[in-house]
């Protein structure tokens, strides 16, 4: 049996369907409802059902279905206009514009038919007394689409000159199209100025600011306003993601990704909407989509990912190269259909222009999670042929870089090794090569260092031989042989010092041996072994030996390293102040020696130590210095760590805007390193939320959530992310989603020893469920929160949950009696807790809560009053009893409760007036005015309260004067 029994039930069914997500299911339901409407034999029911069908088709991928119901509506209007009420008459004329736009998007509809329709629209609008504004707007769209730019400019001017009336598109849509035209002409600044009221929320509609945010992306990038472009992408994509009808705007976001170094993000967008490749109901938006797919695939091919598997049309697998060719062919074929219809080549030219656009920036970090494509492995490039004549130059360059301790020395020595193949070298050259080979082998380099030592000895440099063995000993210490290494290096130090005394070696070689012993002792200390005193003695010996010779780069390096080790020892001993001072000195000495890359590690440690001491300024400065000095030399994972550290330091001091910038950079570098990304996005989302950028924060936090794990990040991080997401959803009006986030977080927190977070999350979820109009679910969540607050001994939380349940009961099935019981329980809990409170401040807080309970009790009774006169009087009398108690309770708290007391007094005054007690009402109003005359200073509420009281007195006086 049909659920549509009459016209009212039909209207309810259409309203319910209108709230469903865009798509074929909603369209099919609209078609079914039209059949049901026809059975009612009521012309207006059929008209409304046709109008509903038109709306859902327009906001879907099946726009081509609009023309049939509209033609039927127009025929019904021409035959019997009296069957249309005022709303449906307005709607009929309104959707004339949809037909014009819809025809443009269908290449099978001839241009002559569109021009004829434009004339029909103009004629009917004139007869109905409407402005020509909407007509000229439609003419502009036709001219701009076909490439008749002179006509487009004339129509654009006429559109703006015509009066706005009820048939004009909404302000938001008009401004979008006007801005689009300016951007099309290269006037990006003008476009953004036109779009500003939409972007700022002054004008909104079903598709705005969604479309404006998408259209603004490339204008912002071209103008260098990259932060705004990023924000518009995150905010805008969130709006269009679920809207099937916004394929054109979706394409704008894919294009933005392709032109800003975010190809991986673009692939994820394609994967979310596979139907966009094939949906044929609106060919124009399909053309837009295929064009940007081609652009994105060409970018991937250009960057070496041509053989990467990519998302594409269902039914077959595509590589980027294959999809590029497929999408280009389809797009150009579709463009040709439009050009055949239009009699121009304009659409094809614009399509090719879009497909062949070049990147606008190399890299624009977005902060959201992306899975980067992996290039197909290729054979390594053949090494360039070296000649024997090149070898001396390469060797000289490698030694020059080594003398400067430059990071590029590693690659320089690798080039020397390559060029040395097949050459006869002297012992010294071979020693240096093997020594640097050992440095590059890390934990496996110990044996190579021994070989290097033998070659140095053969070359007549016993001091460098000892230094090489000391380096080998340190490697063995790092690989689990610290005791053996310490014994070895101790003997080496004795030999080196003796040799130095005899003049058999220099300061540099001896210092290289001494630093080996210091490093091994520091390593043992870090491993929980060894003596701090022994380590400090070795470090100070190194410093004393190298300190007088810091004019030499290598010895300046040794002295700075010794200072840094002393800083670490101070930190190990718990002397943070000394650690900060010594680490700062070490960093300064590295910089003075023109060795900034060695300062980075110690600046990082300095930042961490300063942060622990509460020295935010030093912590931030050190982190900035580390980023500056590391710059392009640092590995991505270190870049991510440094940006995260600076973001953390800035966030701790409330500098959320800059903190977000560094968290964004951290997320980018974390993705490059395939680590730390989830934590970076977690931090970034929190900083964006603190700035009130809720849509961006939500997008970032949602992308962080799948990668956050209790094992790696702790369940506290997961709960915090969910908590922040709930806050974002609430600010965005997405209350059901907020409740889901908070309930999930509460379930995790349920297992924690401390239950305050569990209680708070349950309470927040209850509030969100209430706002989502799910009263039964909200009541259960409030009951859960109340139980938790009671167990925690938190009376404030308990009574607020009880009061919320009372309001739900009063408006739901439980009824007024259940609401009375809950409000009475809240008041009783407050009263008992206040009486038992030993602390004056706690007692005052609970007394304030008691006053609020009485006030809300009175308001609840008054609002629940029956319309019948006697019942209403009885309810108002009861409400006044509770409000009077509230006023007395607030009065006992003095000035601190003045504003809430006067608020309750005014509510009571209005009830007195409703009961016909003008004198009592006037007395209460005058009491409010008197209270503020006696008060010291004025609160923000004072002016409002006075104005309300004066207005009430005027209303009460008016009947007497008449």
């Amino acid at each position: 049996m049909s659920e549509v029994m009459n016209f009212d039930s039909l209207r309810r069914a259409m309203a319910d369907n209108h709230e469903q997500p865009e798509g074929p299911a909603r369209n099919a339901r609209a078609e079914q409802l039209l059949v049901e409407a026809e059975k009612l034999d009521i012309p207006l029911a059929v008209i409304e059902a046709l109008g509903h069908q038109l709306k859902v088709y327009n906001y879907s991928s099946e726009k081509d279905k609009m023309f049939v119901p509209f033609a039927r509506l127009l025929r019904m209007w021409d035959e019997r206009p009296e069957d249309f009420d005022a709303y449906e008459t307005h709607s009929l004329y309104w959707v004339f514009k949809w037909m014009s736009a819809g025809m443009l998007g269908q290449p099978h509809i001839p241009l002559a038919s569109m021009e004829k329709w434009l004339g029909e629209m103009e004629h009917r609008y004139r007869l109905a007394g409407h402005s020509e504004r909407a007509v000229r707007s439609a003419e502009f769209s036709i001219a701009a689409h076909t490439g008749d730019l002179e006509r487009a400019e004339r129509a654009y001017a006429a559109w703006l000159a015509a009066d706005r009336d009820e048939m004009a598109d909404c302000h938001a849509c008009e401004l979008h199209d006007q801005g689009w035209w300016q951007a099309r002409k290269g006037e990006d600044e003008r476009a953004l100025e036109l779009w500003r009221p939409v972007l700022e929320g002054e004008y909104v509609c079903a598709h705005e600011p969604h479309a404006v945010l998408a259209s603004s992306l490339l204008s912002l990038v071209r103008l260098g306003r990259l932060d705004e472009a990023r924000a518009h992408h995150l905010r805008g994509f969130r709006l269009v993601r679920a809207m099937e009808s916004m394929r054109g705007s979706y394409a704008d976001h894919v294009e933005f990704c392709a032109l800003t170094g975010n190809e991986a993000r673009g692939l994820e967008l394609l994967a979310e909407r596979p139907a966009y490749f094939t949906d044929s109901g609106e060919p124009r938006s399909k053309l837009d989509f295929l064009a940007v797919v081609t652009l994105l695939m060409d970018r991937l091919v250009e960057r070496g990912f041509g053989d990467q598997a990519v998302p594409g049309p269902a039914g077959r697998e595509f590589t980027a190269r294959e999809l590029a060719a497929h999408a280009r062919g389809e797009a150009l074929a579709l463009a040709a259909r439009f050009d055949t219809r239009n009699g121009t080549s304009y659409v094809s030219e614009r399509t090719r222009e879009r497909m062949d656009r070049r990147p606008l920036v190399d890299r624009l970090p977005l902060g959201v999670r992306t899975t980067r494509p992996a290039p197909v492995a290729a054979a390594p490039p053949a090494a360039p042929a070296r000649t024997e004549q090149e070898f001396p130059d390469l060797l000289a360059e490698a030694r020059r870089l080594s003398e400067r301790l430059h990071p590029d020395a590693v690659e320089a020595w690798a080039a020397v090794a390559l060029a040395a193949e097949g050459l006869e070298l002297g012992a010294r050259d071979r020693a240096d090569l093997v020594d640097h080979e050992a440095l590059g082998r890390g934990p496996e380099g110990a044996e190579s260092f021994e070989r290097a030592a033998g070659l140095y000895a053969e070359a007549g440099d016993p001091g460098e031989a000892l230094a090489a063995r000391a380096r080998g000993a340190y490697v063995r210490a790092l690989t689990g042989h610290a005791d053996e290494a310490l014994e070895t290096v101790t003997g080496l130090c004795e030999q080196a010092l003796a040799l130095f005394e005899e003049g058999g070696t220099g300061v540099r070689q001896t210092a290289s041996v001494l630093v080996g012993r210091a490093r091994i002792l520091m390593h043992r200390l870090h491993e929980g072994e060894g003596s701090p005193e022994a380590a400090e003695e070795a470090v100070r010996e190194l410093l004393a030996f190298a300190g007088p010779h810091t004019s030499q780069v290598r010895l300046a390096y040794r002295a700075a390293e010794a200072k840094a080790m002393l800083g670490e020892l101070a930190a190990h001993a718990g002397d943070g102040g000394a650690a900060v001072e010594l680490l700062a000195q070490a960093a300064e000495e590295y910089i003075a020696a023109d060795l900034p890359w060695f300062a980075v590690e110690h600046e990082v440690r300095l930042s961490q130590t300063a942060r622990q001491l509460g020295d935010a300024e030093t912590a931030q400065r050190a982190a900035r210095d580390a980023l500056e000095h590391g710059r392009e030399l640092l590995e991505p994972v270190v870049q991510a760590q440094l940006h995260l550290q600076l973001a953390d330091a800035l966030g701790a001091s409330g500098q959320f805007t800059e903190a977000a910038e560094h968290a964004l950079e951290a997320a980018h570098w974390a993705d490059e390193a395939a680590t730390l990304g989830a934590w970076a996005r977690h931090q970034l989302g929190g900083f964006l939320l603190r700035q009130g950028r809720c849509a961006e924060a939500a997008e970032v936090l949602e992308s962080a959530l799948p990668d956050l794990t209790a094992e790696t990040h702790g369940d506290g991080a997961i709960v915090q992310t969910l908590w922040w997401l709930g806050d974002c959803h609430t600010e965005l009006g997405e209350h059901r989603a907020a409740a889901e986030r908070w309930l999930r977080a509460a379930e995790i927190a349920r297992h924690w020893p401390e239950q305050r977070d569990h209680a708070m999350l349950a309470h927040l979820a209850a509030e969100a469920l209430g706002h989502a109009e799910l009263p039964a679910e909200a009541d259960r969540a409030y009951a859960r929160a109340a139980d938790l607050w009671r167990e925690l001994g938190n009376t404030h939380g308990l009574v607020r949950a009880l009061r919320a349940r009372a309001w739900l009961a009063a408006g739901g099935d439980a009824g007024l009696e259940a609401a009375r019981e809950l409000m009475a329980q809240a008041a009783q809990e407050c009263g008992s807790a206040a009486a038992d409170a030993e602390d004056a401040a706690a007692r005052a807080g609970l007394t304030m809560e008691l006053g609020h309970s009485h006030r809300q009790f009175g308001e609840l009774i008054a609002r629940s009053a029956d319309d019948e006169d006697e019942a209403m009087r009885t309810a108002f009398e009861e409400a006044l009893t509770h409000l009077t108690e509230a006023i007395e309770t607030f009065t006992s708290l003095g000035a601190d409760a003045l504003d809430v007391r006067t608020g309750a007094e005014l509510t009571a005054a209005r009830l007195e007036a409703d009961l016909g007690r003008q004198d009592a009402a006037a007395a209460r109003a005058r009491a409010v005015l008197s209270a503020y005359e006696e008060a010291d200073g004025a609160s923000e509420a004072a002016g409002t309260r006075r104005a309300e009281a004066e207005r009430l007195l005027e209303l009460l006086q008016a009947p007497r004067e008449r």
Side-chain angles (χ1 to χ4, degrees):
M1 183 177 179
S2 171
E3 65 185 65
V4 176
M5 304 295 293
N6 52 44
F7 200 174
D8 287 340
S9 61
L10 173 69
R11 284 173 165 164
R12 285 195 298 272
M14 289 190 295
D16 289 342
N17 194 45
H18 181 73
E19 297 301 317
Q20 298 305 306
E22 295 178 355
R26 187 170 74 157
N27 295 353
R29 176 62 174 152
E31 292 162 4
Q32 179 187 355
L33 290 173
L34 175 60
V35 173
E36 300 292 342
E38 290 168 337
K39 295 175 182 176
L40 297 176
D41 197 26
I42 301 173
L44 185 57
V46 175
I47 291 167
E48 290 189 13
L50 286 166
H52 173 65
Q53 198 176 77
L54 258 173
K55 289 184 179 70
V56 299
Y57 285 155
N58 186 57
Y59 293 110
S60 78
S61 62
E62 298 180 307
K63 289 181 186 288
D64 54 337
K65 291 185 175 182
M66 289 192 302
F67 304 105
V68 171
F70 181 75
R72 183 176 173 186
L73 272 173
L74 195 58
R75 185 172 64 252
M76 292 176 73
W77 167 262
D78 288 339
E79 292 173 356
R80 290 182 57 83
E82 64 272 17
D83 288 341
F84 289 69
D85 61 14
Y87 178 81
E88 292 303 327
T89 300
H90 175 275
S91 295
L92 178 68
Y93 280 94
W94 183 266
V95 295
F96 264 86
K97 301 176 297 180
W98 293 0
M99 296 304 107
S100 297
M103 289 178 180
L104 273 180
Q106 304 293 331
H108 68 279
I109 298 179
L111 186 62
S113 297
M114 290 194 295
E115 295 287 2
K116 180 180 178 182
W117 177 256
L118 183 66
E120 177 79 5
M121 179 181 174
E122 184 172 12
H123 173 68
R124 287 181 181 261
Y125 269 41
R126 187 182 301 114
L127 289 179
H130 297 308
S131 164
E132 68 170 9
R133 189 177 181 95
V135 178
R136 299 284 76 83
S137 173
E139 182 187 5
F140 161 77
S141 296
I142 293 172
H145 170 70
T146 59
D148 188 344
L149 304 186
E150 291 184 6
R151 183 188 182 192
E153 284 288 7
R154 291 195 304 272
Y156 182 87
W159 166 24
L160 269 61
D163 292 336
R164 277 191 59 82
D165 68 349
E166 62 179 2
M167 283 299 118
D169 278 339
C170 74
H171 280 288
C173 288
E174 283 204 334
L175 289 173
H176 172 252
D177 291 344
Q178 291 163 21
W180 172 85
W181 181 239
Q182 298 303 323
R184 168 71 187 91
K185 296 190 297 181
E187 299 291 337
D188 290 320
E189 290 279 11
R190 176 61 182 147
L192 288 164
E193 181 56 31
L194 284 164
W195 287 329
R196 182 188 54 77
V198 183
L199 295 170
E200 293 179 356
E202 184 178 345
Y203 301 122
V204 296
C205 71
H207 277 185
E208 298 294 353
H210 316 39
V212 163
L213 285 164
S215 295
S216 70
L217 292 170
L218 297 193
S219 291
L220 288 166
V221 178
R222 285 192 290 261
L223 292 171
R225 292 160 63 175
L226 302 184
D227 288 341
E228 291 174 76
R230 176 192 304 109
H232 285 203
H233 170 63
L234 295 178
R235 178 183 164 203
F237 182 68
R238 185 174 182 79
L239 292 173
V240 303
R241 172 182 268 135
M243 298 187 73
E244 184 192 60
S245 61
M246 298 202 73
R247 179 164 53 182
S249 292
Y250 201 99
D252 290 340
H253 285 279
V254 175
E255 179 180 36
F256 166 78
C257 292
L259 298 178
T260 58
N262 288 289
E263 294 89 352
R265 167 78 167 172
L267 289 177
E268 293 188 356
L269 267 56
L270 297 189
E272 286 194 31
R273 278 289 185 180
Y276 277 170
F277 286 96
T278 53
D279 283 344
S280 58
E282 190 193 21
R284 185 161 61 160
S285 71
K286 183 179 182 181
L287 174 58
D288 290 335
F289 184 74
L290 290 170
V292 301
V293 169
T294 305
L295 170 66
L296 177 62
M297 294 305 116
D298 283 349
R299 288 291 303 134
L300 288 167
V301 171
E302 189 174 329
R303 294 189 63 181
F305 300 101
D307 295 322
Q308 171 73 35
V310 294
R316 62 167 284 193
E317 295 181 355
F318 285 88
T319 64
R321 187 176 287 102
E322 290 168 342
L323 185 57
H326 173 83
R328 182 177 289 272
E330 291 235 328
L332 291 175
L334 194 48
R337 289 178 59 199
F338 279 105
D339 283 340
T340 300
R341 187 269 303 274
N342 299 338
T344 69
S345 60
Y346 185 70
V347 174
S348 293
E349 290 167 4
R350 294 281 293 139
T351 300
R352 285 192 177 91
E353 176 189 323
R354 190 172 197 181
M355 291 191 296
D356 296 338
R357 281 177 177 161
R358 301 303 301 159
L360 297 172
V361 293
D362 291 335
R363 177 177 78 91
L364 175 55
L366 301 177
V368 289
R369 173 181 180 267
T370 53
T371 303
R372 296 178 178 273
V376 175
R386 301 287 187 186
T387 67
E388 190 169 340
Q389 287 73 26
E390 288 182 295
F391 179 77
D393 294 336
L394 291 171
L395 182 60
E397 175 64 8
R399 283 186 169 142
R400 185 187 70 80
L401 291 170
S402 290
E403 283 303 310
R404 288 191 58 222
L405 297 170
H406 197 281
D408 289 347
V410 175
E411 290 185 10
W413 279 105
V416 170
L418 199 62
E421 291 180 6
L423 299 180
E424 289 291 334
L425 303 180
R428 181 67 197 209
D429 291 345
R430 283 185 288 133
D432 286 344
L433 272 173
V434 173
D435 197 24
H436 285 91
E437 175 195 322
L439 287 170
R441 296 186 66 188
E444 299 175 358
E447 290 185 7
S448 295
F449 280 125
E450 286 297 327
R451 284 177 49 221
L455 289 166
Y456 281 126
E458 182 183 336
D461 192 343
E464 199 62 54
L466 292 172
R469 289 193 172 96
R471 289 190 280 274
Y474 181 53
V475 169
R476 285 193 293 275
L478 296 178
T479 54
H481 304 285
D483 292 342
E484 175 192 336
L486 180 59
E487 183 179 348
T488 300
V489 83
T490 301
L492 293 172
C493 285
E494 292 172 358
Q495 294 177 56
L497 289 169
L499 190 62
F500 176 72
E501 288 296 325
E502 297 168 0
T505 191
V507 176
R508 193 181 84 176
Q509 291 86 345
T510 308
S512 293
V513 179
L514 294 176
V515 79
R517 179 173 61 179
R519 287 174 176 173
I520 290 170
L521 286 165
M522 291 295 294
H523 173 70
R524 282 167 55 83
L525 200 60
H526 291 152
E527 294 294 306
E529 302 172 358
S531 157
E533 292 77 17
E536 183 174 353
E537 181 182 352
V539 172
R540 290 197 180 279
E541 182 177 8
L542 170 65
L543 183 58
F545 192 84
H549 306 282
T550 53
S551 59
Q552 300 178 43
V553 171
R554 283 181 175 266
L555 292 166
Y557 166 59
R558 299 302 184 205
E561 184 177 5
K563 285 277 182 68
M565 289 179 182
L566 290 174
E568 291 183 38
L569 286 166
H572 185 270
D575 189 350
V580 164
E581 184 178 347
L582 286 161
L583 289 167
Q585 288 177 17
E588 289 167 6
E589 290 178 15
Y590 281 125
I591 303 305
D594 197 22
L595 301 169
W597 44 86
F598 288 119
V600 174
E601 177 186 350
H602 308 301
E603 286 163 341
V604 170
R605 183 66 184 273
L606 171 59
S607 179
Q608 293 169 337
T609 307
R611 172 85 186 280
Q612 291 166 1
L613 293 175
D615 184 353
E617 183 179 347
T618 300
Q620 292 172 27
R621 185 175 61 251
R624 291 184 207 281
D625 288 345
L627 283 167
E628 173 65 23
H629 296 143
R631 204 172 287 274
E632 298 172 1
L633 298 173
L634 296 175
E635 293 292 322
V637 65
V638 181
Q639 290 272 17
Q641 290 168 339
L642 282 172
H643 280 292
L644 267 177
Q645 187 169 324
L646 183 51
D648 205 27
L650 289 162
S653 59
Q655 300 176 66
F656 300 126
T657 300
E658 190 178 356
E661 293 171 3
H662 286 284
L664 177 67
E665 283 294 320
H668 166 76
W669 288 110
D671 286 340
E672 291 286 337
T675 183
L676 294 174
W679 183 254
R681 279 181 270 281
H682 164 83
Q683 293 283 66
L684 174 59
F687 292 137
L688 290 170
L689 176 60
R690 290 182 182 96
Q691 295 175 66
R693 296 160 66 178
C694 298
E696 298 166 64
E699 193 72 9
V700 170
L701 291 168
E702 284 169 355
S703 76
L705 200 55
D707 295 328
L708 288 170
T709 65
E711 295 76 18
T712 303
H713 307 94
D715 54 12
I718 299 172
V719 167
Q720 182 63 80
T721 301
L722 290 166
W723 199 320
W724 283 337
L725 272 169
D727 291 338
C728 292
H729 289 306
T730 298
E731 290 299 319
L732 296 169
E734 300 164 358
H735 299 295
R736 184 190 289 263
E740 290 171 359
R741 302 295 191 183
W742 283 329
L743 287 171
R744 182 179 163 193
E747 186 59 26
I748 298 171
R750 183 170 67 88
H751 304 287
W752 293 356
E754 167 55 52
Q755 287 289 284
R756 187 181 184 283
D757 285 342
H758 182 196
M760 181 61 75
L761 287 162
H763 201 119
L764 288 169
E767 290 179 356
L769 289 165
H771 287 304
E773 298 182 356
L774 297 168
E777 292 85 346
D779 184 67
R780 286 196 294 272
Y782 275 124
R784 176 183 179 184
D787 290 341
L788 290 165
W789 290 128
R790 182 178 282 107
E791 290 173 12
L792 289 166
N794 188 318
T795 304
H796 293 277
L798 170 60
V799 299
R800 288 169 189 172
L802 289 169
R803 292 197 303 250
R805 291 190 68 200
W807 284 104
L808 287 169
D813 296 337
L816 188 56
E817 283 309 311
R820 277 195 177 92
E821 291 178 12
L822 288 161
M823 277 293 186
Q825 186 181 349
Q828 188 274 325
E829 294 280 358
C830 279
S832 299
D836 294 340
E838 298 179 0
D839 178 77
R843 188 181 309 110
L846 289 163
T847 302
M848 179 75 80
E849 206 69 74
L850 176 61
H852 285 303
S853 297
H854 285 308
R855 175 184 59 78
Q856 288 194 36
F857 204 160
E859 290 174 351
L860 182 147
I861 296 298
R863 292 183 193 180
S864 303
D866 213 317
D867 288 342
E868 192 267 322
D869 283 348
E870 192 56 39
M872 183 179 292
R873 290 187 64 84
T874 301
F876 283 4
E877 292 284 5
E878 182 185 352
L880 275 169
T881 301
H882 294 295
L883 285 165
T884 301
E885 280 200 57
I887 294 163
E888 291 172 356
T889 303
F890 289 140
T891 301
S892 72
L893 294 170
D896 290 340
L898 176 59
D899 292 334
V900 289
R901 171 191 140 200
T902 55
E905 193 82 74
L906 284 167
T907 301
R910 286 189 283 270
L911 287 178
E912 298 277 19
D914 288 340
L915 288 167
R917 303 171 185 164
Q918 274 74 15
D919 290 341
R924 289 186 183 275
R926 284 193 290 271
V928 171
L929 296 174
S930 175
Y932 283 112
E933 288 172 4
E934 298 170 4
D936 295 329
S939 66
E940 291 183 10
T944 302
R945 296 282 193 271
R946 286 195 187 100
E948 289 178 10
E950 288 167 355
R951 176 62 179 155
L952 183 56
L953 285 170
E954 290 174 8
L955 291 172
L956 291 168
Q957 189 66 28
R960 298 182 183 183
E961 292 175 353
R962 287 199 295 272

